[in-house]
Amino acid sequence: MSLSLNGVTLASVRERDQQDPLAHFKQRFALPEGVLYLDGNSLGAQPMAAKQAVTNTLDQWRDELIKGWNQGWFDAPERLGNLLAPIIGARHGEVSVTDNITLNIFKLLGYIWQQRPAERQAVLSEGGNFPTDGYIAQGFCRVSGAEHSFLPEDGDLAAHLDGVAVVVLSQVNYRTGKLRDIAATTKLINDHGAEVIWDLAHSAGALPIDLNGAGARYAVGCTYKYLNGGPGAPAFLYVHKDVQDGGWQPLSGWHGHASPFAFDADYAPAGDISRFRTGTHSALAYTALEASLSLWAEVDMQALRDKSLAMSELFRECLADSLEAHGIKDMTPATSERGSQVSLIDSQHGYATVQALIARGVIGDYREPGLMRFGFAPLYLSFEDVWQAAHHFRAVLKSGEYQNSQFHVRSAVT
Ligand SMILES: *Cc1c(COP(=O)(O)O)cnc(C)c1O
């Protein structure tokens, strides 16, 4: 008798791994023994090449000292931006790898704000989005005098665009994993006379993106989730070529100056995407990310998408009967509207269930209220990994392991 979860056999998933065109990437990642990592949507795994790359930069710092800035450190934001561009459908010179998402949203809000038609006084953010996007929009509104409002979750966007200058939206919602249509939504917003800043935190490296093709003018995203740049890796910012000469961005620091080393008293923005820099960046952080982006250059994004959807479907299928028996709600969107995650709701035992899974080496994460999130990073997960994770999940539910008091203690980072 072969082992089976809700009718899915271990033999069948092993067969899928045999056929998987992306299977060879797994060996390029340094994953600990005994860990089934379903949290690549929060912090991507470490590419094997990262360690040597960081060591090389440490040696460069030791041996070359300040000369290192002229040996690739200083131009890293644009060089890495150009490596990242194909992953998001941008052209050479349209992407800067810099700062974090929060700061990059602020910069773009200010940049767009000063070019807006005078009668447009509002900034709209998305209810239910990752909170920092709303927080920074509110902070921007306090200093600019703009009005801030939230689009209700599942609210009608067109009905909320009167008087709006800028909208901040996520392509994939961090909780539900729901995917928006960038092309149609950008057109709708632009037709109403507003601009949109797309947040690609949960889509860059998770699915194919064509920013140019979709007519998008502004976007931000992070590189430590699906792009495996490492904890605190610098984020990215995209500005379409046609709108790169629109004045100042509000965090007008020396690295974004037209001639940073002229040390002029007055600010003058650089003529290209480097205008969106602020101040000195961490050469070490760029090094780890560059090692990852070199690997990404080999990835077929359509194959990635196919595998991502096949894995999230497999996980759901292996669990379906068991989730139902335990009253856990599967709120994962249909495949045509799904990012690269499975979202399950159990407001009573969700937190403890995730902790019990982590104790078994199955790492997912928990977000209030009641959400268990499982991300599928196709480069380093196999179909068998997904099956084994589901096997543990079923065992945790069946045994009631989550009731153990050790799984109810809260850490600072969940
Ligand atoms: C992860 C994430 C962020 C993180 O912002 P940082 O400023 O880089 O810490 C922002 N927005 C969304 C939608 C995210 O998922």
Side-chain angles (χ1 to χ4, degrees):
M1 192 190 81
S2 79
L3 261 169
S4 126
L5 308 179
N6 196 25
V8 182
T9 65
L10 183 53
S12 75
V13 294
R14 285 183 172 158
E15 176 60 28
R16 292 176 87 158
D17 282 328
Q18 294 288 323
Q19 310 294 329
D20 172 15
L22 301 177
H24 62 101
F25 282 108
K26 191 178 174 75
Q27 71 205 42
R28 311 260 299 267
F29 288 87
L31 282 161
E33 265 314 296
V35 165
L36 297 167
Y37 195 60
L38 305 186
D39 210 7
N41 51 322
S42 263
L43 176 66
Q46 185 180 118
M48 288 283 191
K51 191 170 188 175
Q52 191 58 52
V54 173
T55 302
N56 291 348
T57 303
L58 282 169
D59 291 350
Q60 192 183 17
W61 170 28
R62 181 195 61 205
D63 300 336
E64 305 292 330
L65 290 159
I66 200 162
K67 290 180 284 178
W69 283 109
N70 281 322
Q71 298 170 352
W73 301 349
F74 190 76
D75 57 14
E78 294 77 33
R79 183 177 69 251
L80 271 65
N82 289 330
L83 286 173
L84 204 150
I87 301 172
I88 56 173
R91 286 167 293 181
H92 196 88
E94 289 184 327
V95 181
S96 172
V97 170
T98 180
D99 296 322
N100 55 42
I101 289 185
T102 309
L103 290 173
N104 287 340
I105 291 176
F106 189 91
K107 288 184 269 184
L108 289 179
L109 283 171
Y111 183 74
I112 297 167
W113 183 250
Q114 49 161 353
Q115 303 176 61
R116 78 192 191 282
E119 71 279 8
R120 294 191 172 260
Q121 292 293 337
V123 171
L124 182 69
S125 2
E126 188 178 9
N129 194 1
F130 191 92
T132 205
D133 297 42
Y135 297 164
I136 198 66
Q138 290 176 331
F140 174 77
C141 290
R142 288 176 78 114
V143 294
S144 64
E147 290 158 32
H148 178 262
S149 59
F150 279 115
L151 169 70
E153 219 172 335
D154 299 320
D156 175 14
L157 186 55
H160 286 79
L161 292 172
D162 283 353
V164 168
V166 200
V167 187
V168 184
L169 292 178
S170 277
Q171 186 186 9
V172 171
N173 182 282
Y174 81 109
R175 286 179 55 81
T176 60
K178 190 160 178 182
L179 172 69
R180 279 189 193 272
D181 180 336
I182 293 197
T185 311
T186 300
K187 184 169 186 317
L188 177 103
I189 293 170
N190 291 168
D191 286 352
H192 278 78
E195 295 290 344
V196 51
I197 301 168
W198 284 104
D199 187 333
L200 310 180
H202 285 275
S203 47
L207 45 98
I209 300 173
D210 184 6
L211 288 176
N212 273 198
R217 291 198 269 257
Y218 305 99
V220 298
C222 61
T223 64
Y224 54 77
K225 291 173 181 162
Y226 290 100
L227 291 171
N228 317 304
F236 65 84
L237 169 152
Y238 155 89
V239 178
H240 190 282
K241 274 267 201 270
D242 293 351
V243 290
Q244 284 186 5
D245 199 18
W248 291 28
Q249 54 94 349
L251 301 181
S252 47
W254 70 302
H255 278 220
H257 192 279
S259 357
F261 289 90
F263 292 101
D264 288 339
D266 287 322
Y267 181 77
D272 58 12
I273 193 75
S274 64
R275 169 179 314 195
F276 294 93
R277 290 186 181 206
T278 53
T280 310
H281 51 267
S282 160
L284 288 168
Y286 280 77
T287 295
L289 174 59
E290 190 160 14
S292 176
L293 292 177
S294 308
L295 182 156
W296 274 96
E298 300 168 34
V299 177
D300 173 342
M301 295 304 287
Q302 192 52 52
L304 183 95
R305 176 66 171 159
D306 293 345
K307 183 173 175 186
S308 152
L309 292 177
M311 287 197 303
S312 55
E313 277 304 273
L314 175 67
F315 192 60
R316 297 176 68 229
E317 200 182 334
C318 291
L319 289 175
D321 57 328
S322 175
L323 295 179
E324 200 180 297
H326 289 86
I328 298 173
K329 186 169 168 251
D330 185 350
M331 63 181 303
T332 311
T335 51
S336 59
E337 293 191 330
R338 182 184 307 167
S340 195
Q341 73 184 53
V342 163
S343 305
L344 307 174
I345 297 283
D346 180 347
S347 39
Q348 226 187 332
H349 303 299
Y351 179 81
T353 301
V354 169
Q355 299 314 307
L357 281 167
I358 292 173
R360 283 168 166 264
V362 180
I363 304 183
D365 68 18
Y366 177 81
R367 290 290 176 264
E368 289 293 350
L371 172 70
M372 297 184 273
R373 269 192 333 179
F374 301 94
F376 297 89
L379 296 189
Y380 50 80
L381 279 178
S382 66
F383 288 99
E384 178 168 349
D385 289 339
V386 174
W387 190 96
Q388 297 289 1
H391 188 53
H392 283 293
F393 202 141
R394 296 179 71 99
V396 163
L397 294 179
K398 189 159 183 225
S399 66
E401 247 162 79
Y402 54 83
Q403 283 160 357
N404 191 322
S405 61
Q406 77 188 85
F407 298 135
H408 295 255
V409 181
R410 304 266 172 154
S411 317
V413 177
T414 58

